[in-house]
């Protein structure tokens, strides 16, 4: 379906929670195969949060945000969002 109002669920198999909503959004975008560098709102969030220390846990291990790309799924983007996908997907 053409989200965001009628999205299809994605079988990510993750439970996400955070004390920093910007990094939760950035992580979710990476898991959906989006290029966060192309999304101005997420770029601003990174800049705002850049001085904070963050920890991302995946299967009980601390990982880098880039490691989430290894478990990202191929999300079907609505027509207005296709230009925000990772170019190698």
């Amino acid at each position: 379906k053409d989200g965001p109002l009628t999205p299809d669920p994605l079988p990510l198999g993750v439970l996400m929670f955070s004390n920093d909503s910007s990094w939760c959004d950035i992580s979710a975008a990476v898991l959906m195969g989006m290029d966060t560098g192309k999304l101005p709102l997420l770029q601003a969030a990174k800049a705002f949060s850049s001085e904070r220390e963050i920890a991302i846990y995946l299967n009980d291990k601390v990982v880098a945000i880039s490691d989430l790309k290894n478990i990202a799924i191929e999300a079907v983007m609505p027509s207005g969002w296709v230009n925000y996908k990772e170019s190698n997907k």
Side-chain angles (χ1 to χ4, degrees), residues 7-73:
D8 287 329
L10 301 175
L12 291 171
V14 299
L15 175 63
M16 296 179 70
F17 55 92
S18 176
N19 63 352
D20 186 328
S21 60
S22 59
W23 280 102
C24 196
D25 288 350
I26 292 165
S27 297
V30 171
L31 288 170
M32 292 187 295
M34 299 180 86
D35 183 346
T36 59
K38 293 180 180 178
L39 294 159
L41 186 61
L42 296 184
Q43 284 295 70
K46 281 183 187 179
F48 177 75
S49 299
S50 66
E51 295 182 14
R52 297 181 191 167
E53 186 174 323
I54 66 158
I56 299 171
Y57 289 87
L58 178 64
N59 297 327
D60 295 325
K61 295 180 184 172
V62 177
V63 298
I65 190 81
S66 59
D67 294 328
L68 297 180
K69 291 179 181 183
N70 297 330
I71 62 167
I73 65 166

Side-chain angles (χ1 to χ4, degrees), residues 1-8 78 81:
K1 296 179 183 173
D2 197 13
L5 299 178
T6 56
D8 287 329
W81 288 85

Side-chain angles (χ1 to χ4, degrees), residues 68-86:
L68 297 180
K69 291 179 181 183
N70 297 330
I71 62 167
I73 65 166
E74 184 71 26
V76 177
M77 302 292 172
S79 59
W81 288 85
V82 294
N83 293 329
Y84 298 106
K85 286 185 79 169
E86 282 281 341

